[in-house]
């Protein structure tokens, strides 16, 4: 089956936040959409393997922060490639607690929703939430998934609903090194010794040369 047409669908880059009792948890999403205008409802898709999934189910409330093109790249690395079960992802970033859930300040803004319905698929839960509060922080251009891929050179995490197995064995005109954590590709003659992945922040010991 050809998946090319699915890649023509439009996606953004978001961070969903909720609580595990007293702990802040969250992850990166690329699937979110407004369902209705009155009342305002939002649908998001969260992988079953994400710890945030079960926390939303337990809490019944989530926030959705809309990242912009100037948002720190480290947000995607931290929230997309680490687990909230072991990591306080919000610790190194500015956030606010709104309606008892965390929102990211380095974003276009946020909506906070109460979960009103869920739908289970084989790999993801679709949460439908009714908006109870929203705010705009910045009037920057929202980050699209196309921008994330083409400008930031980011890769799709395996837990994302849009993940497609990528063939990296293409014609190589320069040396390439792939981050084993997030899939970022560095191109150049040599990998600098002090290089840090711009997406997830790991050092060169986590990079492998693409043959």
């Amino acid at each position: 089956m050809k998946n090319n047409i699915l890649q023509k669908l439009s996606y953004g880059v978001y961070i969903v936040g909720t609580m595990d009792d007293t702990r802040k948890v969250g992850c990166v999403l690329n699937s979110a959409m407004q369902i209705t205008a009155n009342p305002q409802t939002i649908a998001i898709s969260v992988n079953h393997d994400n710890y945030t999934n079960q926390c939303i189910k337990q809490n019944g409330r989530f926030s959705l922060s809309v990242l912009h093109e100037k948002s720190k790249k480290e947000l995607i690395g931290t929230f997309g490639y680490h687990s909230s079960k072991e990591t306080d992802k919000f610790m190194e970033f500015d956030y606010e607690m709104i309606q008892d859930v965390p929102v990211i300040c380095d974003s276009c803004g946020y909506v906070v929703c109460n979960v009103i319905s869920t739908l289970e698929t084989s790999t993801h839960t679709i949460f439908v939430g009714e908006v109870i509060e929203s705010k705009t922080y910045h009037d920057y251009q929202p980050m699209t998934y196309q921008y994330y891929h083409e400008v930031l050179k980011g890769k799709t995490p395996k837990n994302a609903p849009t993940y497609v197995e990528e063939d990296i064995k293409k014609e190589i005109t320069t040396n390439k090194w792939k981050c084993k954590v997030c899939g970022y590709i560095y191109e150049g003659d040599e990998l600098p010794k002090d290089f840090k992945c711009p997406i997830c922040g790991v050092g060169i010991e986590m990079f492998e040369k693409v043959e």
Side-chain angles (χ1 to χ4, degrees):
M1 181 168 57
K2 299 291 186 180
N3 293 313
N4 297 21
I5 188 62
L6 297 179
Q7 297 171 6
K8 301 300 182 183
L9 297 177
S10 179
Y11 301 94
V13 183
Y14 315 94
I15 290 179
V16 63
T18 190
M19 297 294 292
D20 173 12
D21 293 327
T22 60
R23 296 177 62 250
K24 301 176 293 296
V25 301
C27 64
V28 171
L29 300 181
N30 71 339
S31 294
M33 63 181 296
Q34 183 173 350
I35 303 297
T36 62
N38 188 20
Q40 292 181 328
T41 56
I42 300 291
I44 61 173
S45 177
V46 186
N47 194 286
H48 293 158
D49 292 337
N50 282 344
Y51 184 63
T52 304
N53 183 306
Q54 67 184 71
C55 293
I56 295 176
K57 290 176 180 175
Q58 294 169 357
N59 186 282
R61 181 174 295 172
F62 65 85
S63 66
L64 189 71
S65 298
V66 181
L67 297 189
H68 53 69
E69 292 181 354
K70 297 180 183 292
S71 294
K72 292 181 179 178
K73 296 186 294 291
E74 291 81 4
L75 280 165
I76 299 173
T78 298
F79 283 85
Y81 296 96
H82 298 84
S83 172
S84 291
K85 206 167 188 177
E86 293 91 25
T87 306
D88 181 356
K89 299 182 182 182
F90 289 85
M91 180 172 61
E92 298 182 6
F93 305 103
D94 292 334
Y95 69 91
E96 287 188 294
M97 294 299 296
I98 306 295
Q99 297 286 352
D100 299 322
V101 291
V103 302
I104 294 294
C105 296
D106 187 14
S107 66
C108 292
Y110 66 80
V111 295
V112 175
C113 299
N114 285 332
V115 177
I116 58 174
S117 181
T118 61
L119 172 65
E120 297 294 342
T121 73
S122 59
T123 58
H124 288 68
T125 302
I126 299 172
F127 295 96
V128 179
E130 183 172 349
V131 178
I132 59 174
E133 188 163 340
S134 62
K135 181 179 179 180
T136 298
Y137 282 137
H138 301 289
D139 194 27
Y140 297 137
Q141 186 71 20
M143 185 185 298
T144 64
Y145 220 51
Q146 181 179 12
Y147 181 91
Y148 169 69
H149 280 292
E150 296 182 358
V151 179
L152 299 185
K153 306 300 182 184
K155 300 300 179 182
T156 305
K158 288 188 176 182
N159 283 355
T162 56
Y163 176 77
V164 177
E165 191 72 32
E166 296 181 80
D167 180 14
I168 61 174
K169 295 180 180 179
K170 298 179 180 178
E171 182 179 355
I172 299 175
T173 56
T174 60
N175 292 329
K176 296 184 181 182
W177 286 265
K178 178 183 176 182
C179 176
K180 292 187 285 187
V181 176
C182 70
Y184 174 82
I185 300 292
Y186 174 87
E187 299 184 17
D189 292 334
E190 296 294 337
L191 189 62
K193 293 182 179 180
D194 60 349
F195 182 76
K196 299 289 185 182
C197 177
I199 300 299
C200 66
V202 299
I204 62 173
E205 70 278 0
M206 296 303 293
F207 278 75
E208 59 184 1
K209 193 172 184 179
V210 178
E211 302 294 341

